[in-house]
Amino acid sequence: MTKRPELLQATDADIDDALAFADPMVLRGLLYQLTGDEAIPATEVIALATGGLGGQVMGVGNPDDVALIRSKAADFLKQYRDSGAGDLPIGPADRLHRSLTLSAGADVPAAELEMWLEELALDPWARGHVWQQEPPAERLENFSVLVIGAGMGGLNSAVQLQHAGVDFTVVEKNSGVGGTWYENRYPGARVDSPSRNYTHAFGVDFPYPNPFCGQAENEKYFNWIADHFDLRKNIEFNTEVKSVIWDEQAKLWEIKAEQQGGTKVWRANAIISCVGFLARPNMPNIDGMSEFQGTSFHTARWPSGVDFEDKRVAVIGSGCTGYQLVPELAKMASHTYAFQRTPSWVFDVPGYLDPFPPQVNWLDRNFPYLTNFVRFRTGWGSRPDVTMKIFGIDPTFSDPHATSAVNKVVRDQRIEFMRTKFADHPELVETMLPVAPPMSSRPVLVDRNYSIYDAILRDDVTLVTDGIERITPNGIKVRGGEEHALDVIVFATGFKANEFLWPMEIIGRNGQRIEELWAKDGARAYMGTMLPGFPNFFMIYGPNTNPIGGLQVVDMEEMVTRFALECIGHLIEQNLDTVDVTVDAYWRYNDELDRAEELKNYHDPRAHNYYQNEFGRSAANMPFDARLSWEMLRSPFGPRSADGDEQLAERLATVAEISRPYFGEDLVVE
């Protein structure tokens, strides 16, 4: 039976109409892969525009070429329909390199091809565990892994463990899956990565209705994972881990968790911690908070059924959450007060709030492999060559406000958008202009037509930039004496981002506490995942894994998970007990990481946000080029061969200077 009954019922006009909404660059690579038609590569691409992050957007510039591509796509889809719309092979594997280059509009280097093929996700298990040999049945049966957290990282770990046949339990403090998307239900909560790339490789066909989905759709995706892969039977909900302690004699971790007022204990061979770092709300310390007689809460603890009609509402905080929330609250409250200490850089995205036209989702369902090529094309837009430049400091570039020529282009674009919005209120340009350079703090994506800039122009919204003196029983008093009467105070004050693994008690070998390892200058890890003296313990989205050097968070989490499972799989195959990283390797890696961070603009002295911890270094961001991270996390069995590829040989040499993440080198197995 066909998987595409819609296509069988579609008319030629339906197909032509739908293809008018397809990206010609996506069709360019996909059609060539499916047909090998040499007329497709003959179409020309040009730089159509400079993207919001400073990178060139390549596209088909000649209208005749666009028409040719759409016509050939229509002919292909109609023939596919007329043949019964059955299974369709992707085409020759050796054609994929050229096909990706055609979709990218630029050469995809051979050294990067394997990484981009993973991103293409033709193989849903491209970032899954591969057994090196048949694992001993008894050893496999008796080996257990405990996963902490059922958000993006935890669910992926569960799926991959299940696929590998390794016994596991997931412990989740909430009553449902989704992590941050389960907890953050405030109006306006929306992803700031393209939804096409906010799925795992096995979720490439998930039907996202928006280019950037809101909270409900993101939560729906995580529920789909839990249900599609039948994971709920392995998840202990409403259970919060309190301690994780290593038993050296038994070579096991003992995990204690609070569940329904009591304590539950597990013993596991390995731990995969997927608690994330934007998980624990950060409440400010403002005088008088306990005296307020109205309603107050943090955005991550949004109460159900809260009514803002005829209410005066304050939002404290001007990061991503505050900027998303204020425009939506303005539609509901009688008056909204936006308390802003430091403005954030705003990046306008056309259609950020809009759903896809129905033709887009129709094509997703009915054009074979289209979602794969859309995923690749979208990922290519945030490739390392683009993102590394905008986060960098060019020591030879002289400008009081920007850190490089590219950074200045980005800044000028942002100011032009601001001036367009505040054409009749030029004083607001200065008020909303951040002091620190763009990308030195988390950028805020907004819709071009309605955003925080539009909201503060409303008569029923007041922007308050005076510092808060105290919270009174009836509202907020600012420095200078004015008091704003309020009914509701919402704290959009972020999370304890730099307190990784807190408040769990983590004790490794010889009674070493995690706080002792991190006493020098905050949370660190080897490649973001391992800690010396804490064997068989892996973190997903651990210290310095927030990617700024290309790709997305989900990609980094998938790569780290694969590395962890390869380590676990080796223990099972070889009947070994532990895998650990040496202290020397831990510090060598982190010394190189610190050097890489020296020229990143989030170290600008004017920037004050969670990109820096109390010691003045970033425990959050991954400063390395994503291609280096991918090589390091690819396999603990050894580096791949350069096979005469000079570019790859150079990259592997750079990796070797940073780490040797292989068994018998940086990794010690016993």
Side-chain angles (χ1 to χ4, degrees), residues 619-631:
N621 290 344
M622 164 60 76
F624 295 132
D625 185 313
R627 293 166 292 197
L628 296 180
S629 299
W630 184 85
E631 294 288 356

Side-chain angles (χ1 to χ4, degrees), residues 44-234:
E44 295 183 351
V45 298
I46 60 172
L48 295 179
T50 300
L53 296 181
Q56 292 290 331
V57 178
M58 305 301 292
V60 183
N62 188 321
D64 291 338
D65 284 345
V66 172
L68 174 69
I69 292 170
R70 293 197 194 282
S71 174
K72 287 184 175 292
D75 289 344
F76 176 86
L77 200 52
K78 291 167 189 175
Q79 291 172 13
Y80 176 58
R81 173 202 61 191
D82 295 342
S83 69
D87 290 338
L88 186 72
I90 185 58
D94 59 4
R95 189 186 290 163
L96 279 167
H97 190 179
R98 191 179 186 196
S99 299
L100 292 186
T101 293
L102 289 171
S103 270
D107 180 51
V108 176
E112 301 175 26
L113 180 59
E114 188 177 339
M115 183 183 79
W116 289 113
L117 287 174
E118 288 180 3
E119 189 70 9
L120 185 64
L122 291 172
D123 176 5
W125 305 109
R127 291 176 178 153
H129 173 64
V130 177
W131 292 103
Q132 300 297 304
Q133 62 187 54
E134 186 70 24
E138 182 178 355
R139 175 66 171 157
L140 183 61
E141 182 180 344
N142 294 324
F143 196 100
S144 65
V145 179
L146 189 126
V147 178
I148 306 175
M152 175 173 275
L155 290 173
N156 179 60
S157 296
V159 168
Q160 301 298 351
L161 285 163
Q162 179 172 270
H163 183 69
V166 178
D167 181 59
F168 70 96
T169 298
V170 180
V171 178
E172 169 55 52
K173 72 181 189 316
N174 294 319
S175 59
V177 301
T180 188
W181 295 109
Y182 178 88
E183 296 178 351
N184 287 276
R185 298 170 178 271
Y186 61 86
R190 187 171 292 269
V191 73
D192 56 6
S193 301
S195 287
R196 299 283 198 177
N197 294 80
Y198 202 68
T199 57
H200 305 87
F202 54 72
V204 64
D205 288 326
F206 184 79
Y208 273 130
N210 294 69
F212 295 86
C213 284
Q215 180 272 332
E217 291 297 331
N218 297 323
E219 187 182 12
K220 184 185 295 184
Y221 170 65
F222 295 116
N223 277 292
W224 171 82
I225 296 174
D227 294 333
H228 182 76
F229 294 100
D230 191 24
L231 299 178
R232 296 185 194 275
K233 65 183 185 298
N234 295 87

Side-chain angles (χ1 to χ4, degrees), residues 552-572:
Q552 303 290 343
V553 169
V554 63
D555 300 303
M556 179 62 69
E557 290 190 349
E558 284 183 306
M559 292 187 292
V560 172
T561 302
R562 175 174 58 190
F563 181 83
L565 263 65
E566 292 289 292
C567 290
I568 290 170
H570 186 62
L571 297 182
I572 295 172

